[in-house]
Amino acid sequence: MPIKLMLFEDNEKLRSGLSFLLESTPDVELLGAYENCQDIDNQIQMHRPEVILMDIDMPIANGFVGIQAVRKYSKDIQIVMLTVFDSKEYIFEALQLGANGYLLKSTPPGQIVDAILNVHQGGVPMTASIARKVLEFMSAKDVQMHDYQLTKREKEVLENLVKGLSYKMIAGQIGTGIDTVRAHIKHIYEKLHVHSQTEAVAKAILEKII
């Protein structure tokens, strides 16, 4: 079954281009494309998307408002930000609010499609330059350290989650089964006191856990 997706982008030309790209992708079903998040509550209840591709800077109701509205409705809908903003403040605000991925608008069309497929499979897709900023933040000396008593393997799994790998990719990376990866992630959630992959990734980044 194709991935059910909604798009939020205020630039009409870009919205049309992205709509054409998504409608031409066999693995994706575009449910709707909107210029802002003003009526997102009703739109997500009507369409029930699995993935949302969303800009940040939109009039009336921006992407941050949109993330919060989606998260009040569901923790399962995957949200990928597509924006021109590459500052740490925007990146971490989006992650803390509940975004599952962060792409820049300079991302090639094929990689945008790959990111949608990736996030649907459990990954946390990021543009390479965004990932570098995340790593820079993680290496900052002024970040407070916490000991959550993660095992070596749990830290390895969490590090791969931060990199955006899906459960299947992590299993292949560490040489184990998907069920074992899920068990590790469950333990990670318990130790970090979080309830979702996005929260775990955000906490790992913000508190330099790995």
Side-chain angles (χ1 to χ4, degrees):
M1 296 293 291
I3 299 168
K4 297 181 178 180
L5 181 139
M6 290 174 62
L7 170 65
F8 292 86
E9 167 60 55
D10 66 310
N11 184 295
E12 185 176 358
K13 184 176 181 180
L14 180 56
R15 188 169 67 250
S16 297
L18 288 169
S19 295
F20 179 78
L21 170 69
L22 298 169
E23 288 170 345
S24 303
T25 303
D27 295 326
V28 174
E29 178 186 357
L30 181 61
L31 304 174
Y34 306 97
E35 63 181 351
N36 60 50
C37 297
Q38 184 177 18
D39 196 32
I40 192 170
D41 295 299
N42 293 326
Q43 289 158 346
I44 58 176
Q45 290 183 52
M46 176 175 63
H47 294 300
R48 299 183 183 275
E50 297 171 289
V51 177
I52 290 176
L53 188 62
M54 183 184 292
D55 189 11
I56 290 179
D57 187 21
M58 294 180 285
I60 304 176
N62 65 24
F64 291 148
V65 172
I67 297 173
Q68 295 176 77
V70 174
R71 286 293 164 252
K72 287 180 181 178
Y73 176 77
S74 170
K75 292 184 178 180
D76 297 324
I77 297 173
Q78 304 297 296
I79 305 172
V80 178
M81 310 310 292
L82 183 63
T83 177
V84 298
F85 298 116
D86 62 353
S87 68
K88 293 176 182 178
E89 291 77 14
Y90 278 92
I91 296 167
F92 296 122
E93 177 73 10
L95 291 175
Q96 284 185 303
L97 289 175
N100 304 98
Y102 199 104
L103 304 178
L104 295 181
K105 288 186 176 180
S106 57
T107 303
Q111 291 183 22
I112 293 176
V113 173
D114 289 342
I116 292 168
L117 301 178
N118 185 5
V119 77
H120 186 254
Q121 295 169 358
V124 185
M126 294 184 189
T127 299
S129 61
I130 298 300
R132 281 196 295 271
K133 288 182 182 293
V134 169
L135 292 175
E136 288 170 6
F137 186 89
M138 290 169 62
S139 63
K141 294 181 180 180
D142 59 346
V143 178
Q144 186 176 1
M145 300 290 288
H146 296 274
D147 182 10
Y148 291 99
Q149 298 185 332
L150 297 179
T151 66
K152 181 179 179 180
R153 181 49 61 91
E154 287 166 354
K155 288 182 179 179
E156 189 176 1
V157 170
L158 182 57
E159 182 176 2
N160 283 313
L161 283 178
V162 171
K163 290 178 180 177
L165 273 63
S166 66
Y167 290 9
K168 183 177 180 180
M169 293 169 69
I170 294 173
Q173 185 79 11
I174 67 177
T176 188
I178 293 180
D179 288 340
T180 301
V181 171
R182 290 195 180 101
H184 284 311
I185 291 174
K186 180 182 178 182
H187 294 151
I188 291 168
Y189 288 1
E190 291 172 350
K191 291 181 179 181
L192 299 187
H193 306 292
V194 299
H195 304 286
S196 71
Q197 181 172 314
T198 304
E199 288 180 271
V201 168
K203 196 161 191 173
I205 293 169
L206 294 170
E207 298 189 14
K208 195 183 174 185
I209 295 171
I210 55 176

